[in-house]
Amino acid sequence: MKKITFILIALISGSAFAQNAAEAIGTADISAEIVTPIKIENGTAMNFGSIVAAEGGNVRVNTEGNRTFSNTNMDVTSATTITAATFDVTAANNYAYSITIPSTVLTGTGSDMAISFTQDLLGDTDGTATGSGTAQKLKVGGLLTVASGQLAGTYSGTVSVTVAYE
């Protein structure tokens, strides 16, 4: 009887100190970084200036604010200054972000006129950039399609620029 009690006590105390082979525990460190939100300030106005409709064609204002015509019959000295739009974009230092500018139309006296846009941020024109932690100048140019016989008058619209972390 003493042997059985001793064996029983040895088994109970041995299993209490033995490691469970069916279970293991591991650990890992946890960290997080909060990044400043990306932001864009409303831009300065883009102005294609005065245009003669003539037979129609395209008018381009590049990101530097220079205007060219696909049809030189459309060229006239503008009563207003030709300008590209500029925006201030602020993104966290060394974080990539995308730039999206959808096409739009100018509306006014006659038919709508389509505009597609180009952009330049510090020489990058592919729609992506890397933040510096400070405001960066985003320049936006456009290509305006004018129809033959477009009615005279003032036309206007809005360009919407979206920036987002990648």
Side-chain angles (χ1 to χ4, degrees):
M1 178 76 128
K2 286 185 183 181
K3 270 188 176 181
I4 293 175
T5 306
F6 177 74
I7 292 174
L8 209 54
I9 290 174
L11 284 175
I12 292 172
S13 63
S15 63
F17 295 108
Q19 184 176 1
N20 183 350
E23 181 180 290
I25 297 174
T27 63
D29 293 334
I30 300 171
S31 64
E33 178 183 10
I34 305 302
V35 178
T36 57
I38 193 167
K39 70 178 184 174
I40 185 168
E41 299 293 328
N42 286 336
T44 61
M46 176 183 289
N47 186 5
F48 284 88
S50 303
I51 303 165
V52 175
E55 307 86 39
N58 293 322
V59 181
R60 178 179 303 281
V61 172
N62 70 13
T63 57
E64 296 302 317
N66 300 313
R67 180 174 73 168
T68 57
F69 298 88
S70 65
N71 175 355
T72 56
N73 292 333
M74 299 170 69
D75 192 358
V76 64
T77 301
S78 182
T80 59
T81 304
I82 311 306
T83 57
T86 58
F87 297 83
D88 284 333
V89 178
T90 305
N93 192 33
N94 294 323
Y95 280 84
Y97 63 93
S98 62
I99 303 165
T100 306
I101 310 172
S103 298
T104 192
V105 295
L106 293 185
T107 59
T109 310
S111 301
D112 292 352
M113 295 186 290
I115 302 177
S116 58
F117 297 99
T118 57
Q119 60 87 24
D120 181 359
L121 181 97
L122 305 172
D124 292 326
T125 60
D126 65 354
T128 62
T130 302
S132 65
T134 61
Q136 297 171 300
K137 287 280 184 223
L138 172 64
K139 300 174 187 177
V140 177
L143 180 68
L144 173 67
T145 301
V146 179
S148 175
Q150 185 79 37
L151 292 178
T154 302
Y155 293 79
S156 61
T158 303
V159 58
S160 295
V161 179
T162 302
V163 292
Y165 284 124
E166 294 192 332

